[in-house]
Amino acid sequence: MEKLKTPALDFEISRIALGCMSLKGSLKEDRRIIDAALSGGINFLDTADLYQKGLNEEIVGAVIKGKRREVVLASKVGNQWREDGSGWDWNPRKSYILKAAEDSLSRLQTDYLDLYQLHGGTLEDPWEETLEAFEILKSQGKIRAFGISSIRPNVIRKVLEMYPPATIMMQYSPLDRRPEETAFPLIAETDTRVLVRGTFAKGLLINKSAEPYLDFTVEEVKKVRELIADTGLLPEAFLIRFGLRQKAVGSLVIGASSVEQVEKMTFAYQQHEMISEETMKEIIAQLPLNQYKQHR
């Protein structure tokens, strides 16, 4: 699998990352999934302290122990679990980020993260102290790069102006083309690169029963899926090609909950390279184009 090195990263990331949020929560099963991804050329694992209340990080850490240098490891911070476990609250404060980083490193059984991402963000956040926390962690050698996860154009513009992150994670698929309006063109002119989530639109464009998605009705979702299916292409291959053809995109973060899904994903990656740009343009011209209505 192709690896990408960007000006903002001093290490290479595979064009597909394994989104660990979809792991099963069983060390035995998840070891097989992660090992299949690594064997398939995926070197990039994305987790978060929020997932399974930290268990996700613990499992990832246990699996990669002994092969840490072979893996690009990313995690996220900002969502603080309540003490009673009833839910979480947004906390972008420096003191919390510094403590949460130590906790993540402990669960992951490593002394550094390749990429540490702020798991959200609003214009009202105390950005100076938030960004200072990541700078401190970087100066301490505890993280190699900083990123954010945000779909809000106004937040993205603010962070790019204040402290350009190495990566910005956002949702993108044929059912969510909102980043094409302003986010992608803006980011493409910087050293920052996008990590795409939601590539398969929760499986709705592959084999999951149709349901409403964003502003799309069930019938509209079905129409987009049928448009892709009618090409005769493997849907996963088309969707991977759809995401990676964007200049601003560095990698697609795709979840898998079985070895079979990992194998299909890596096969689809190989197949996507055979889809011509002319074919992509013909299909995309028939896809709906939506835009952000809030946080512009």
Side-chain angles (χ1 to χ4, degrees):
M1 182 175 293
E2 180 192 1
K3 305 296 191 298
L4 177 72
K5 186 174 182 181
T6 75
L9 297 174
D10 59 1
F11 48 87
E12 294 184 333
I13 57 174
S14 50
R15 299 306 302 274
I16 302 290
L18 179 66
C20 295
M21 183 176 69
S22 300
L23 295 179
K24 309 283 282 185
S26 161
L27 178 58
K28 182 178 179 180
E29 292 182 77
D30 294 339
R31 184 184 300 277
R32 293 178 62 240
I33 293 169
I34 293 173
D35 285 346
L38 296 177
S39 297
I42 296 172
N43 75 337
F44 189 8
L45 306 181
D46 178 78
T47 181
D49 58 4
L50 180 68
Y51 304 158
Q52 298 159 306
K53 298 182 179 179
L55 175 63
N56 198 274
E57 287 184 326
E58 291 179 6
I59 289 175
V60 171
V63 172
I64 66 172
K65 189 175 183 179
K67 45 192 170 190
R68 174 67 182 89
R69 304 296 174 182
E70 303 169 24
V71 174
V72 173
L73 184 58
S75 192
K76 308 182 198 74
V77 65
N79 295 294
Q80 183 176 13
W81 279 101
R82 300 180 193 127
E83 290 187 9
D84 63 5
S86 63
W88 62 85
D89 299 301
W90 180 239
N91 189 347
R93 294 289 179 181
K94 179 175 73 173
S95 59
Y96 173 68
I97 292 172
L98 295 177
K99 180 183 182 301
E102 296 293 344
D103 292 341
S104 286
L105 291 173
S106 176
R107 286 190 291 265
L108 288 161
Q109 301 184 56
T110 184
D111 55 3
Y112 72 98
L113 284 165
D114 296 291
L115 178 65
Y116 201 34
Q117 303 157 96
L118 185 66
H119 206 172
T122 72
L123 284 183
E124 292 71 35
D125 289 343
W127 283 102
E128 289 77 10
E129 71 167 276
T130 298
L131 297 173
E132 182 186 1
F134 287 95
E135 187 59 39
I136 289 171
L137 291 169
K138 193 171 181 181
S139 68
Q140 293 174 340
K142 294 176 181 176
I143 68 172
R144 297 175 70 186
F146 152 71
I148 67 169
S149 177
S150 178
I151 62 172
R152 302 182 177 195
N154 55 7
V155 169
I156 290 170
R157 285 194 300 271
K158 184 178 184 69
V159 176
L160 283 173
E161 291 170 2
M162 293 184 66
Y163 187 86
T167 61
I168 300 176
M169 182 178 286
M170 66 184 69
Q171 186 168 286
Y172 181 60
S173 76
L175 290 177
D176 189 354
R177 298 177 63 190
R178 293 176 297 175
E180 292 180 22
E181 182 187 5
T182 59
F184 281 175
L186 176 64
I187 296 168
E189 298 305 314
T190 72
D191 290 340
T192 300
R193 284 297 170 263
V194 171
L195 303 180
V196 168
R197 61 179 177 83
T199 299
F200 296 162
K202 300 194 298 184
L204 295 175
L205 296 179
I206 300 175
N207 54 17
K208 187 178 176 182
S209 297
E211 61 184 47
Y213 189 89
L214 297 178
D215 292 332
F216 294 109
T217 65
V218 170
E219 289 306 313
E220 288 170 330
V221 169
K222 286 181 179 179
K223 185 175 180 181
V224 173
R225 182 164 68 188
E226 289 167 1
L227 177 63
I228 296 171
D230 288 347
T231 65
L233 300 169
L234 184 68
E236 291 90 342
F238 171 82
L239 295 169
I240 288 173
R241 180 81 167 86
F242 180 84
L244 291 180
R245 67 189 291 274
Q246 291 288 342
K247 177 184 175 183
V249 172
S251 183
L252 310 180
V253 181
I254 303 176
S257 57
S258 69
V259 171
E260 292 71 27
Q261 287 182 354
V262 173
E263 291 173 343
K264 191 167 188 178
M265 180 166 61
T266 53
F267 176 74
Y269 175 80
Q270 296 168 357
Q271 293 293 305
H272 98 279
E273 299 173 321
M274 303 177 189
I275 305 174
S276 70
E277 180 62 15
E278 181 180 359
T279 297
M280 292 301 299
K281 287 181 178 179
E282 289 178 3
I283 301 171
I284 291 171
Q286 303 174 64
L287 293 174
L289 184 61
N290 46 359
Q291 298 178 334
Y292 288 109
K293 297 178 180 178
Q294 297 177 317
H295 313 296
R296 296 180 61 85

